[in-house]
């Protein structure tokens, strides 16, 4: 049984994340999409909201689970019996941060592999940070977030 963890902040989930989930799903037997509880980082959406939106998006796909985690990713991965971590790389600018994190995770847990996947080119410039910024100013979120969640995300960002 091959289990992968796809960790992230998902604040909020974007079309880039969704593209990656669908790519990762084809490679493993079980995919755990995991939202980090990060008390030191202020977020626009609560962890519960982020998990709920991801669950709505994933629907009834049997091999995908959505959950949240505290603490070190490698410790969470062990509790899930995972063999690998999936991360998305959109552009060269993502690489340095991802490379550092992958090597550090390897130091902490040598048996765990990090696998990088590339989302569709059209999502190269899509990030949760830009979604938050555009959404909070009433901009159009089409092409940035999944259609089924667009209203909810836009509404919520305009409340802040
Ligand atoms: O979506 P993000 O914010 O780029 O995701 C970053 C995340 C959640 C993958 C990373 O911050 C993480 O794994 N945090 C958990 C704490 C941890 O394990 N830190 C050491 C990383 S080398």
């Amino acid at each position: 049984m091959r289990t992968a963890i796809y960790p992230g902040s998902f604040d909020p989930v974007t079309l880039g994340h969704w593209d990656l989930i669908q790519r990762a799903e084809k490679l493993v037997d079980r995919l755990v999409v995991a939202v980090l509880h990060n008390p030191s980082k202020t977020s626009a959406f609560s962890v519960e909201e982020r998990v709920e939106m991801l669950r709505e998006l994933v629907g009834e796909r049997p091999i995908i689970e959505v959950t949240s985690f505290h603490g070190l990713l490698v410790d969470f991965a062990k509790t899930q019996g995972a063999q690998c971590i999936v991360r998305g790389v959109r552009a060269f600018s993502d690489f340095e941060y991802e490379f550092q994190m992958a090597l550090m995770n390897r130091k902490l847990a040598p048996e765990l592999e990090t696998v990088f996947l590339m989302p569709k080119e059209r999502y190269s410039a899509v990030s949760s940070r830009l979604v938050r910024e555009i959404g909070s100013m009433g901009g159009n979120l089409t092409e940035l977030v999944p259609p089924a969640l667009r209203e909810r995300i836009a509404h919520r960002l305009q409340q802040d």
Side-chain angles (χ1 to χ4, degrees):
M1 173 90 147
R2 295 263 137 211
T3 298
I5 310 284
Y6 178 30
S9 301
F10 303 103
D11 186 34
V13 61
T14 66
L15 277 173
H17 293 130
W18 181 225
D19 179 278
L20 221 78
I21 290 170
Q22 292 171 93
R23 286 174 199 281
E25 182 191 17
K26 295 185 201 135
L27 306 176
V28 293
D29 303 309
R30 180 171 162 251
L31 179 66
V32 181
V33 181
V35 179
L36 174 69
H37 269 278
N38 190 351
S40 62
K41 195 169 158 190
T42 50
S43 54
F45 294 84
S46 70
V47 170
E48 292 70 26
E49 283 177 292
R50 287 179 261 160
V51 166
E52 199 180 291
M53 287 194 286
L54 279 161
R55 285 196 178 138
E56 191 177 321
L57 196 59
V58 165
E60 295 302 313
R61 288 165 189 249
I63 74 156
I64 308 181
E65 292 164 34
V66 180
T67 188
S68 61
F69 73 105
H70 292 88
L72 284 179
L73 174 60
V74 292
D75 290 340
F76 173 70
K78 275 181 206 158
T79 68
Q80 295 296 311
Q83 292 79 23
C84 78
I85 296 166
V86 171
R87 290 287 290 171
V89 177
R90 291 163 297 189
F92 208 68
S93 51
D94 284 338
F95 187 74
E96 196 172 341
Y97 168 64
E98 293 299 334
F99 185 68
Q100 199 179 16
M101 203 155 61
L103 288 184
M104 199 49 75
N105 281 331
R106 179 184 282 170
K107 230 186 245 303
L108 295 169
E111 68 287 0
L112 205 59
E113 285 300 336
T114 299
V115 173
F116 295 114
L117 298 177
M118 291 168 292
K120 266 194 195 108
E121 309 84 271
R122 82 165 84 123
Y123 303 132
S124 298
V126 176
S127 70
S128 296
R129 185 180 64 77
L130 287 179
V131 167
R132 292 195 298 273
E133 188 169 317
I134 293 165
S136 67
M137 295 177 188
N140 188 351
L141 296 180
T142 311
E143 309 278 319
L144 300 181
V145 300
L149 298 172
R150 196 188 312 142
E151 278 293 318
R152 177 174 178 172
I153 292 173
H155 183 71
R156 184 65 180 64
L157 287 171
Q158 287 206 263
Q159 284 178 332
D160 292 334

